[in-house]
Amino acid sequence: MNYPVLELSRFDRIHRTNHIIDACKYPAADDTESVHTMAHYMADCLFRLKTMGQEPRYWSFASFSAKRHDKSAIRLNSALVLEYRDSARASVLAELTDIGLAHWIIDTESPTENRFAVIFPLANPILNENRSNRYTRLASVLLQQIGVAGAVDGCNANTFLIAPRPTALVQGFAGDILDPEPYIKDTAELLAQANSFIDRVKSEDNDDDGLFEWGGAA
């Protein structure tokens, strides 16, 4: 099987905004178990974050054309990420089993609470050429189909960043790899009311332009 190639971009805070530190591309998986995959790379990043502490703090699966975390600089998204508060974990995992899509689970955090991220590799990337709404539509449909309250405000935007916990593990779950366009087409009649499943809270970190709040998005 030819697995899609994903790109993980990592950011750190510089003068209260996020700037890209590095970006690496790896296949989502490998049947031969002889190729370094995205799961291996994520595990390596987490190990260095835990042992060295100076690793980039924020993750995105978007590919950027500039160093700054900005919506206009996103070229494409190779994976879709939803983040939930830890209290929703058992319910979300149960629903994900029924949905049957391949995904990873990684423990994340904000300054005030523990969270977890669900990372769906995409069979084909979502291009951002005047189509960033495709990402939001797909994320909103998934929030609706998972159907569990407790999603973090802003996690259905393609600018969303997660902050993995240094002690996190990469948990992989097999299933069908999400192909954005067919999935959006098949769910075109679904009224995706994502707001029903998102917890809106007062901003935990006020940045200059509002793009970089914990759990916030452009």
Side-chain angles (χ1 to χ4, degrees):
M1 178 178 179
N2 292 324
Y3 289 97
V5 174
L6 312 182
E7 182 167 345
L8 174 58
S9 300
R10 302 193 301 165
F11 294 79
D12 256 341
R13 288 282 171 104
I14 301 176
H15 303 302
R16 301 187 70 203
T17 58
N18 286 307
H19 285 246
I20 192 168
I21 304 300
D22 58 28
C24 288
K25 296 180 179 180
Y26 291 99
D30 173 56
D31 290 332
T32 68
E33 298 185 359
S34 62
V35 173
H36 199 71
T37 67
M38 182 53 71
H40 294 136
Y41 177 61
M42 289 190 291
D44 290 345
C45 291
L46 290 168
F47 177 76
R48 293 197 301 270
L49 183 62
K50 178 181 178 181
T51 57
M52 300 177 186
Q54 299 300 315
E55 289 292 295
R57 191 70 185 84
Y58 304 92
W59 290 12
S60 168
F61 284 86
S63 173
F64 291 80
S65 61
K67 290 292 186 181
R68 192 171 186 273
H69 175 241
D70 185 270
K71 186 175 183 178
S72 63
I74 294 179
R75 296 190 300 106
L76 58 84
N77 294 83
S78 58
L80 187 147
V81 182
L82 299 177
E83 189 175 41
Y84 288 86
R85 293 185 163 80
D86 225 24
S87 58
R89 184 182 296 262
S91 297
V92 170
L93 294 184
E95 294 300 326
L96 288 171
T97 298
D98 291 340
I99 291 172
L101 292 173
H103 61 280
W104 291 294
I105 299 289
I106 294 180
D107 291 336
T108 58
E109 61 188 2
S110 80
T112 60
E113 66 183 357
N114 289 332
R115 301 171 173 176
F116 68 97
V118 186
I119 302 167
F120 298 94
L122 300 179
N124 293 289
I126 299 176
L127 302 179
N128 196 38
E129 298 173 354
N130 301 318
R131 304 188 72 191
S132 60
N133 62 316
R134 306 298 280 172
Y135 184 98
T136 301
R137 169 63 187 178
L138 182 59
S140 298
V141 167
L142 285 170
L143 286 170
Q144 176 84 15
Q145 295 196 325
I146 294 170
V148 176
V152 173
D153 192 10
C155 73
N156 58 335
N158 65 349
T159 51
F160 191 73
L161 299 178
I162 58 172
R165 283 185 238 166
T167 56
L169 300 176
V170 179
Q171 297 176 278
F173 297 85
D176 297 328
I177 298 179
L178 178 60
D179 197 348
E181 292 304 320
Y183 203 83
I184 291 173
K185 182 178 180 180
D186 291 344
T187 57
E189 301 302 319
L190 176 66
L191 179 60
Q193 297 177 315
N195 288 343
S196 300
F197 307 104
I198 292 174
D199 289 346
R200 299 193 180 279
V201 297
K202 183 178 179 181
S203 173
E204 297 163 333
D205 189 4
N206 295 317
D207 286 308
D208 294 341
D209 54 15
L211 289 176
F212 312 107
E213 297 169 0
W214 281 85

